[in-house]
Amino acid sequence: MKRNTVFFQIIFRVLVPVFIGLLIMEVLTYFHTKKLLTNAEMEKELSIIDEIGTILTLRDESISLLDSYLKNSMEAKTNEIVKYIAGSNHNPITIDLKELQQKLNFIPDIEDIYIIDSAGTVVNTTFKADLNLNFFSFGERHEAMLRKVLKSDEFVAESFAIEAKTKRLKKYSYKATLDNKYIVELGFYSPKADSLIKTVNERLNHIGNKDISLVSVDLFIGPDNPFSLNPSTEISTEHLSVLDEVFSAKTSKIIQSKDNEDLKFRFIYMDRKHTDFYKSSVIRIGINETAYREFLQFELLKSVLLFVFIILIVSIIAYYSIKSILQPIRNLISGVDKITDVDFYERIEVVGKNELTELTKHFNRLLSRIEMRNEEIASLTSNINRINKDLNNAYEIIYNNKQDSIKAEKHILSVRQYALGIQTAVNAPFNAFKEIFPDSFLFLLPKDVVGGDFFWYAKIENNLVFAVADATGHATPGAMISMIGLFGLRNTVEIKGITNPLEIMQNLDKEFAFLLQTENSNSHFYDGLDIGIGTLDLNTGKLLYSGAKQQLYVVSNNIVQNLRGENISIGKFFNDAPKEFKLETCELQNGDYIYLSTNGLPDQYGDFNNTRFTTNRLVKLLTDNSNQSCDDQSFKIKKALRDWKGNEEQVDDILVFGFKFTKNE
């Protein structure tokens, strides 16, 4: 099975694309033939339309000549009738029009006389079917024309029109009697016009018989009530609806016959601009697509048979050609099979002068090199065994050290978790603070399990004392310093009862110096706190503040007030100068926001530009969102930190605290 792989790959990579190309070519040829046939059908239809247009133009010109001839005859006879009525003193209603027809040499079968009164009613006529017919009912336009004739002495002759009852061409003329009380109307059929219409219909039928695919060619006129001048033409309800649509839209439309899927009808609108006979018409061409479909099926069958024949011939030729080409490869594979028994002394016979010959030579050289490498490998194997033994000994030492490291890390983590528990127990719970100011937040994110940033508060009567502090260092060392700060705050405020931020700051500084015993220390390490302490009178809104490298921000109506504090820290540091803390005040209004933050967020580096977040960016973030609830503000701070930091490592503990001030009622 494996030895047929190359053969089938060649078949797949060479012949399959050829077969696909042939298939695509045959498909394109088929669709191209179909397109050519479609274009030929369209050109044939356009030729038919052009021929019909020529026939209609000739017909219209002929009818115009007949119209001019009849107009002169009708005007002369109308004038004689008007004079006869005026001179005879007969009532036009009772006059014998049949007798008058004979007297004036009318042809009774095709020339009729009508007497119309001022109300538009036919009161006397030789065409008894229209007696008492009201011509005003034909529409406002016709009524206006008749009233105009009554008021003037002019002779008015209409162009040939299609009589609704007989579907024959008929010409009408009008003139008022001398007393302007009646209208004399003449209506003449024209045998020549009938003969012309018959000739046109025969010509249209002849066009339909010129091509076996043309079933019928019909002409319809009259957009309001379409009809054909050919009496044998039938109009179904469906076709009548299509005619109305084509007349209205002045466009073309194709429909499929419901009874025969190969029969379709094309309706084509034609505008007649140079005749008064009618202004528009629609040609209906019936086309049988059976011959067209059979020709396409034959072309498709021919393409399929040709494609199968070509594939068969190409496959046979390719099979025997590829088989002869692959014979040297089979010889090469046979030689390789002998080498699989690790007998590198066996060589493959070199045959021919082609690329496979060169491949065989290179393969034999490769075998020689493998033979040499086997000897080298045998030498290296003993050295590798010795090295593996040394590596196993080293691995045991490393594994033992790693186990010791894991135990140490677990111990350190346990210590940190314990320290976190102590720190949480000592620290003031923030849920209790939210009972005082529900609209408040505390965003605390230590760098490690425990950290040196903390928030603390105490309520002494009507005064709320709160503090945000950043101990030197982070993790366990920072937590130890923060514990000293927490105990110092509780001792100063809750036990000694000191609520003035400046006094708290001074007392806290002394306690740090005493507890850490740094007055005579030559240590260069920083031991202390950066802290901001505020005391808020809950009744009056008066805020007292003292800061040690901590700033307090008051946002009122999107305006920021900054209480900066002093640029010194709590505790004793290397080469410390004498410390002087200061007290700042601020009068708060309902709705003002108070914010305190450690330097963790401003000092955080960004992932994309390696720059700090900065205090200015933090202040803008707080100001822009000060119109939202504290919960939303806390979410915005978290999102801003996440977007800024990205994959960058957190550099320090982070704490941001804020609340919305409301006075006690």
Side-chain angles (χ1 to χ4, degrees), residues 145-162:
M145 184 272 293
L146 293 176
R147 291 189 183 280
K148 184 178 179 181
V149 170
L150 276 172
K151 294 179 181 179
S152 67
D153 297 330
E154 295 182 1
F155 173 77
V156 177
E158 292 183 333
S159 299
F160 271 106
I162 304 298

Side-chain angles (χ1 to χ4, degrees), residues 20 35 67 105 226 269 320 354 411 433 593 597 623 665:
I20 292 175
K35 183 178 180 182
D67 189 86
N105 297 321
Y269 177 83
Y320 288 101
N354 51 34
H411 179 71
F433 182 86
Y593 278 94
S597 171
T623 306
E665 297 296 336

Side-chain angles (χ1 to χ4, degrees), residues 292-308:
Y292 172 74
R293 177 173 53 79
E294 290 177 351
F295 180 79
L296 282 179
Q297 290 176 349
F298 174 75
E299 286 295 317
L300 180 60
L301 178 61
K302 185 172 68 175
S303 299
V304 171
L305 292 176
L306 180 61
F307 176 70
V308 172

Side-chain angles (χ1 to χ4, degrees), residues 429-442 457 630-631:
F430 191 72
N431 289 337
F433 182 86
K434 290 183 74 70
E435 293 179 1
I436 303 173
F437 291 111
D439 197 4
S440 58
F441 73 90
L442 175 64
Y457 82 95
C630 280
D631 289 340

Side-chain angles (χ1 to χ4, degrees), residues 389-622:
K389 184 177 179 180
D390 295 338
L391 288 175
N392 288 332
N393 294 333
Y395 173 78
E396 291 181 2
I397 296 173
I398 293 172
Y399 177 79
N400 293 332
N401 291 337
K402 182 179 180 181
Q403 294 301 316
D404 293 340
S405 298
I406 293 173
K407 292 179 181 179
E409 288 179 1
K410 290 182 178 179
H411 179 71
I412 293 171
L413 180 61
S414 175
V415 171
R416 289 182 176 178
Q417 292 288 353
Y418 188 74
L420 176 63
I422 297 174
Q423 189 180 40
T424 303
V426 174
N427 206 347
F430 191 72
N431 289 337
F433 182 86
K434 290 183 74 70
E435 293 179 1
I436 303 173
F437 291 111
D439 197 4
S440 58
F441 73 90
L442 175 64
F443 176 53
L444 177 60
L445 184 63
K447 183 177 184 300
D448 295 303
V449 178
V450 293
D453 290 6
F454 67 89
F455 163 78
W456 177 88
Y457 82 95
K459 187 172 180 296
I460 308 298
E461 297 181 353
N462 290 326
N463 290 323
L464 177 67
V465 182
F466 57 91
V468 168
D470 180 3
T472 54
H474 50 76
T476 305
M480 294 176 64
I481 299 298
S482 69
M483 292 294 293
I484 297 175
L486 286 168
F487 281 116
L489 285 169
R490 295 183 66 175
N491 181 58
T492 303
V493 177
E494 296 178 359
I495 297 176
K496 295 182 180 181
I498 300 174
T499 60
N500 184 288
L502 178 59
E503 296 178 12
I504 297 171
M505 190 75 74
Q506 292 170 344
N507 191 77
L508 197 60
D509 185 52
K510 292 178 181 179
E511 288 195 7
F512 258 84
F514 174 76
L515 291 173
L516 297 177
Q517 297 182 359
T518 59
E519 290 187 2
N520 297 320
S521 175
N522 292 323
S523 173
H524 292 198
F525 295 100
Y526 291 90
D527 296 318
L529 292 174
D530 295 339
I531 188 169
I533 305 172
T535 300
L536 175 60
D537 190 321
L538 299 176
N539 293 331
T540 65
K542 183 176 182 180
L543 173 66
L544 303 178
Y545 179 74
S546 181
K549 286 189 177 182
Q550 290 281 18
Q551 302 184 40
L552 182 141
Y553 307 100
V554 179
V555 179
S556 179
N557 296 322
N558 288 332
I559 298 175
V560 182
Q561 181 179 354
N562 187 0
L563 305 183
R564 297 182 178 277
E566 291 294 335
N567 193 26
I568 53 179
S569 300
I570 293 293
K572 184 66 176 178
F573 299 96
F574 180 67
N575 291 332
D576 260 347
K579 301 177 183 177
E580 293 185 4
F581 300 102
K582 68 178 180 181
L583 183 67
E584 300 177 76
T585 62
C586 178
E587 299 292 337
L588 300 182
Q589 304 296 325
N590 279 336
D592 290 352
Y593 278 94
I594 295 88
Y595 301 101
L596 276 167
S597 171
T598 62
N599 63 349
L601 181 54
D603 289 347
Q604 178 61 48
Y605 283 97
D607 183 27
F608 54 91
N609 56 12
N610 199 30
T611 58
R612 298 177 187 271
F613 191 83
T614 72
T615 300
N616 291 337
R617 186 174 280 105
L618 173 60
V619 173
K620 186 176 185 305
L621 176 64
L622 296 174

Side-chain angles (χ1 to χ4, degrees), residues 11 50 100 144 150 181 258 335 347 362 421 459 463 474 653:
I11 292 292
D50 184 63
L100 189 59
L150 276 172
K181 293 182 178 181
K258 294 181 178 179
R347 296 294 184 266
H362 286 295
K459 187 172 180 296
N463 290 323
H474 50 76
D653 302 330

Side-chain angles (χ1 to χ4, degrees), residues 102-293:
Q102 295 178 359
K103 185 176 182 179
L104 298 178
N105 297 321
F106 275 67
I107 303 174
D109 292 337
I110 62 175
E111 297 177 350
D112 291 307
I113 305 172
Y114 300 82
I115 303 298
I116 306 171
D117 64 9
S118 59
T121 303
V122 178
V123 295
N124 196 359
T125 179
T126 60
F127 191 74
K128 297 305 181 181
D130 287 346
L131 186 63
N132 296 323
L133 179 66
N134 191 304
F135 280 10
F136 286 177
S137 64
F138 290 176
E140 295 180 358
R141 184 177 178 183
H142 196 69
E143 179 183 353
M145 184 272 293
L146 293 176
R147 291 189 183 280
K148 184 178 179 181
V149 170
L150 276 172
K151 294 179 181 179
S152 67
D153 297 330
E154 295 182 1
F155 173 77
V156 177
E158 292 183 333
S159 299
F160 271 106
I162 304 298
E163 190 178 48
K165 295 181 180 179
T166 64
K167 297 297 185 294
R168 294 175 61 189
L169 291 180
K170 195 171 187 179
K171 182 174 177 63
Y172 295 92
S173 67
Y174 310 89
K175 186 172 183 178
T177 58
L178 296 180
D179 57 3
N180 294 104
K181 293 182 178 181
Y182 298 93
I183 296 175
V184 177
E185 177 186 12
L186 300 185
F188 285 10
Y189 293 110
S190 173
K192 292 183 179 180
D194 292 340
S195 177
L196 180 62
I197 294 300
K198 181 179 179 181
T199 302
V200 170
N201 289 335
E202 290 175 352
R203 184 59 186 167
L204 291 177
N205 291 332
H206 175 71
I207 293 173
N209 295 329
K210 288 170 63 177
D211 194 314
I212 59 173
S213 64
L214 294 178
V215 177
S216 62
V217 178
D218 299 299
L219 176 69
F220 298 93
I221 59 178
D224 296 330
N225 186 20
F227 62 91
S228 173
L229 295 177
N230 188 350
S232 63
T233 300
E234 297 180 356
I235 310 176
S236 65
T237 304
E238 179 188 7
H239 285 202
L240 187 61
S241 175
V242 175
L243 284 170
D244 291 338
E245 181 182 346
V246 173
F247 269 117
S248 300
K250 297 182 179 181
T251 183
S252 300
K253 186 171 183 179
I254 299 175
I255 65 171
Q256 198 78 28
S257 173
K258 294 181 178 179
D259 301 327
N260 186 352
E261 62 179 10
D262 292 330
L263 180 62
K264 69 176 182 179
F265 292 92
R266 181 186 291 273
F267 294 80
I268 305 165
Y269 177 83
M270 293 186 67
D271 194 10
R272 310 300 297 161
K273 298 181 179 179
H274 303 294
T275 177
D276 293 330
F277 177 38
Y278 58 91
K279 296 300 182 183
S280 60
S281 62
V282 172
I283 300 172
R284 181 183 70 181
I285 302 175
I287 303 172
N288 191 329
E289 295 183 330
T290 302
Y292 172 74
R293 177 173 53 79

